């Protein structure tokens, strides 16, 4: 199998390393807007660098992995679909609903595969939580608490490209909330704070956000995120039911310090970022993609799943901006008809 990797930045490098070691992958073609970066990585891995994206499609590949800047995702997804190629793409498809829906329409028209990079679905802790819900271990689920806390904020130049805290960060919590519980979000109320560094106010973003979500069976969920968690990178999910409560992300590296005299000691080596915390999950999602391309398993996270997570994030932004609850039904899930 020959796979084209478009984008050799931080996550692209990790994915290229994973694929280069995979027993079912014969070779890679790497490209990047910085050709020297792609060339250096290709040399290090013993793979081939291409001068541009056109060559990925001209030289012939069996699948494409997209890890470029978000602004290029939708166009590349469409191009791969028109070339009848299966695609793995880092989230999101696009930062807006229109771009997302257009790319999905192209994939569906072509009948090709689009697997989205929501790596938490491949994390052992979240898989265990899903099993606890689905087997009835928790009884009736009544409360879910999800959180994502970055240790330090991104560089200022990233903020206008990110789509904001809800679309860039909490979208992972929204996706895994649906995956773990098997339920849909129906109502959202969200707010945020920009009381941290001035760059968040300058770009109309927030450094800390919170959403209250009602699921279609009445379960209440909260999802919070911050860019300013100095103790370390902290991603958790608590699920409370009438019979039992479980937590994802609580281990000897969770950046928590108890104030109880008999509480556990603080972590000696707290998590410092998502690449370290979810390293095995990133490998597992790429292995799953190879299996999907080979026809050995169904797609574990298609584009429609990504659309639903984006719709929740969009509802959060509307709620934050307009200071009101938002029904998810207000956010379109298909191309709106023209009234011209």
């Amino acid at each position: 199998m020959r796979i084209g990797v478009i984008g050799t930045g931080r996550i692209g490098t990790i994915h290229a390393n994973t694929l280069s070691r995979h027993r079912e992958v014969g070779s890679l073609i790497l490209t990047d807007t910085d050709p020297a970066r792609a060339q250096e990585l290709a040399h290090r891995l013993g793979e081939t660098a291409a001068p541009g994206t056109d060559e990925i499609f001209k030289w012939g590949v069996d699948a494409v992995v997209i890890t470029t800047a978000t602004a290029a995702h939708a166009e590349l997804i469409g191009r791969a679909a028109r070339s009848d190629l299966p695609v793995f793409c880092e989230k999101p498809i696009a930062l807006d609903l229109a771009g997302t829906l257009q790319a999905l329409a192209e994939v569906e028209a072509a009948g090709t595969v689009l697997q989205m990079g929501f790596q938490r679905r491949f994390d052992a802790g979240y898989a265990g939580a899903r099993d606890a819900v689905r087997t009835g271990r928790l009884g009736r689920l009544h409360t879910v608490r999800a959180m994502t806390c970055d240790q330090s904020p991104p560089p200022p130049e990233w903020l206008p490209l990110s789509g904001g805290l809800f679309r860039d960060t909490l979208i992972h919590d929204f996706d895994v909330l649906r995956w773990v519980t098997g339920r849909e979000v129906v109502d959202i109320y969200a707010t945020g704070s920009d009381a941290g560094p001035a760059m968040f106010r300058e770009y109309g973003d927030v450094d800390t956000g919170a959403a209250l979500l009602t699921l279609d069976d009445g379960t209440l969920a909260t999802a919070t995120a911050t860019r300013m968690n100095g103790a370390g990178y902290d991603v958790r999910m608590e699920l409370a039911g009438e019979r039992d409560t479980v937590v994802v992300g609580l281990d000897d590296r969770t950046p928590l310090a108890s104030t109880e005299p008999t509480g556990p000691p603080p972590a000696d080596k707290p998590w410092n970022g998502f690449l370290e915390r979810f390293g095995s999950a990133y490998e597992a999602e790429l292995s799953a993609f190879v299996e999907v391309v080979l026809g050995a398993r169904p797609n574990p996270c298609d584009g429609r799943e990504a659309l639903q997570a984006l719709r929740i994030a969009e509802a959060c932004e509307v709620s934050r901006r307009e200071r009101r609850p938002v029904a998810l039904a207000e956010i379109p899930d298909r191309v709106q008809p023209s009234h011209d």
Side-chain angles (χ1 to χ4, degrees), residues 37 51 97 105 117 156 183 186 215 232 263-264 273 279 289 314 326:
R37 184 165 66 177
L97 283 168
R183 313 305 308 192
V186 292
L215 308 189
F289 178 60
E314 289 289 326
V326 175

Side-chain angles (χ1 to χ4, degrees), residues 30-54:
L30 312 177
T31 193
D32 193 90
T33 53
D34 179 352
R37 184 165 66 177
Q39 185 66 55
E40 189 279 329
L41 179 60
H43 177 75
R44 180 149 45 91
L45 296 178
E47 304 290 357
T48 302
T53 302
D54 289 346

Side-chain angles (χ1 to χ4, degrees), residues 17-75:
N17 272 278
T18 297
L19 292 168
S20 187
R21 298 191 307 267
H22 199 288
R23 64 182 182 277
E24 298 289 352
V25 178
S27 62
L28 303 177
I29 303 176
L30 312 177
T31 193
D32 193 90
T33 53
D34 179 352
R37 184 165 66 177
Q39 185 66 55
E40 189 279 329
L41 179 60
H43 177 75
R44 180 149 45 91
L45 296 178
E47 304 290 357
T48 302
T53 302
D54 289 346
E55 284 74 17
I56 294 285
F57 295 95
K58 289 178 181 176
W59 293 356
V61 293
D62 299 299
V64 173
V65 170
I66 299 170
T67 58
T68 61
T70 298
H73 287 185
E75 190 277 329

Side-chain angles (χ1 to χ4, degrees), residues 300-331:
C301 186
D302 66 22
R304 285 284 161 183
E305 299 288 292
L307 171 63
Q308 296 311 316
L310 179 62
R311 290 178 68 224
I312 298 168
E314 289 289 326
C316 287
E317 286 292 359
V318 173
S319 178
R320 178 176 76 89
R321 184 172 61 250
E322 300 182 5
R323 295 181 176 273
R324 67 175 179 89
V326 175
L328 192 63
E330 296 180 42
I331 309 300

